[in-house]
Amino acid sequence: NLPMPKKLLDAGILDMVRVSDARMSGTGYGTCVLHVSPEAAAGGPLALIRTGDVVELDAAGHRLDLLVEPGELEARRAAWRAPAPPAERGWVRLYVEHVQGAERGADLDFLVGGSGDDVPRHSH
């Protein structure tokens, strides 16, 4: 869940748009835009947002736009560095290195093509 920050609740603000590259399981509340991809950790759009940026949500038009000048976004992209891997080995490392983004189905990359789809020769 992406709860309302206490500071906003104390100010009487009862809802806000929450934008995340996360998945959601279970109960959610309020206005949420999820599965933004590519993910911030992969250098996706959320990685470039800064405090004070304006984000425009057009739910009817299925659009989410970051209203920042293209030159500024390119400078941010050039300065962006990928986060360090959260684990050296094990399931966490396997997840980080092999689970594809939401835009590709969040499948394990080494299983793609294993369910009846053609497997390209170069993957053998």
Side-chain angles (χ1 to χ4, degrees):
N1 285 327
L2 298 168
M4 287 287 295
K6 183 174 179 350
K7 183 176 184 176
L8 294 180
L9 289 171
D10 291 346
I13 299 170
L14 302 178
D15 193 14
M16 68 176 192
V17 174
R18 298 153 185 91
V19 179
S20 176
D21 51 7
R23 303 338 169 220
M24 186 156 159
S25 175
T27 305
Y29 51 88
T31 306
C32 297
V33 176
L34 300 170
H35 299 267
V36 173
S37 64
E39 298 169 339
L46 292 178
L48 305 179
I49 293 178
R50 301 290 178 263
T51 299
D53 287 349
V54 176
V55 177
E56 180 178 67
L57 171 61
D58 175 1
H62 303 272
R63 293 193 53 87
L64 183 65
D65 295 306
L66 176 57
L67 304 181
V68 174
E69 293 296 322
E72 172 62 20
L73 286 177
E74 285 309 310
R76 292 179 188 183
R77 191 176 320 282
W80 182 82
R81 299 293 174 260
E88 292 295 319
R89 53 170 289 149
W91 291 110
V92 172
R93 184 65 179 250
L94 184 69
Y95 177 87
V96 169
E97 290 184 352
H98 295 285
V99 174
Q100 297 178 322
E103 75 280 10
R104 288 176 280 169
D107 198 1
L108 291 161
D109 60 2
F110 53 81
L111 293 179
V112 171
S115 298
D117 296 332
D118 290 334
V119 178
R121 183 166 178 74
H122 68 274
S123 69
H124 295 194

